[in-house]
Amino acid sequence: LPTQIVQWLRKYKPEVSVLGMGYANSAQVPLSALRAGVKDFLDIGAADLEDIRKPVWDACMRGNIESGESSKGQVLALVGARAGMGVTTLAVHLCAALSELYDAASSQAGEATSDDLGVGLMDLGFPLRDGQMLLGLSSKFHMVDAVQGANRLDKAMLEAALPRHSSGTAVLSWPAQSHLLREVSPMTSASIIQKMRAFFAWQIIDVGGFPSQDIVQEVVHTADRVWVVS
């Protein structure tokens, strides 16, 4: 019966997050759940709180992605073939150029007020916050704040929280404290990128040099276009 319920939900209610629960002391239990269509499994016998919290959070974020909240904006991911390829330098110059083109196009169209925030730089490369530094910006609001407050993100909040370069580019970076990165999983990163589509015409995502290949792969999977700098 539980298997049939999961299969029905995956077919008729794909926007609903489905989380399997059970004891993982036998591989057969989570395997059966995954075969039924569950994408996240919670081991209720886990002693570590993080082992319990993470599957629940990932299931919520996965639901946000699959619900297709908005797919208006375009996403371009920039990846370095190896460290030190100048991905961040390319990202900030590309954002500035796109912002100027976007403003010019909006002016020619006679739009007094844009429906979105134009061009956004997701400064997710390594070293941390290099994009902000190159643009001469600083902000206390960062990616972890965006993840933790995902349900409260809207245009007004982003306008107030994100620093904006003179070109018009708005920037969202990692926190300066590297230990806070533990709060961001590949799935939550993808969820924020998808959510930001509703607010930005273009997102340029710099993941050059970032050491977590899982996050880089999820960003690449989420993007509409990927440029590899080599």
Side-chain angles (χ1 to χ4, degrees), residues 3-117:
T3 299
Q4 294 174 343
I5 292 173
V6 171
Q7 292 173 341
W8 186 90
L9 287 171
R10 300 309 300 169
K11 182 176 182 179
Y12 297 105
K13 295 288 184 179
E15 73 279 6
V16 174
S17 299
V18 181
L19 175 68
M21 299 176 63
Y23 290 97
N25 52 351
S26 169
Q28 188 61 37
V29 176
L31 185 59
S32 297
L34 293 171
R35 284 174 175 169
V38 168
K39 295 186 177 180
D40 301 277
F41 186 84
L42 171 61
D43 179 11
I44 59 178
D48 190 340
L49 180 61
E50 179 63 17
D51 291 340
I52 297 175
R53 185 186 71 85
K54 188 176 183 301
V56 176
W57 183 251
D58 283 354
C60 293
M61 290 296 100
R62 193 186 297 276
N64 287 341
I65 293 173
E66 293 180 350
S67 64
E69 234 177 315
S70 175
S71 58
K72 184 175 78 168
Q74 294 292 301
V75 177
L76 168 63
L78 300 180
V79 183
R82 59 183 183 278
M85 296 303 300
V87 175
T88 301
T89 302
L90 172 62
V92 298
H93 282 87
L94 180 59
C95 283
L98 273 176
S99 293
E100 292 177 4
L101 289 172
Y102 177 82
D103 289 343
S106 297
S107 299
Q108 289 178 0
E111 299 176 5
T113 305
S114 176
D115 291 335
D116 54 52
L117 298 176

Side-chain angles (χ1 to χ4, degrees), residues 149-214:
N151 293 330
R152 301 192 303 273
L153 288 181
D154 57 25
K155 183 179 178 182
M157 179 182 178
L158 292 172
E159 282 182 317
L162 298 183
R164 189 175 287 271
H165 185 250
S166 58
S167 66
T169 300
V171 183
L172 177 63
S173 302
W174 291 122
Q177 301 83 8
S178 59
H179 68 274
L180 294 178
L181 299 184
R182 293 177 298 183
E183 298 297 320
V184 181
S185 70
M187 191 56 61
T188 54
S189 299
S191 176
I192 293 300
I193 293 169
Q194 292 288 64
K195 192 173 185 69
M196 292 292 195
R197 287 180 184 269
F199 309 117
F200 289 97
W202 278 93
Q203 289 181 80
I204 306 301
I205 307 179
D206 169 19
V207 285
F210 194 69
S212 171
Q213 290 303 306
D214 290 340

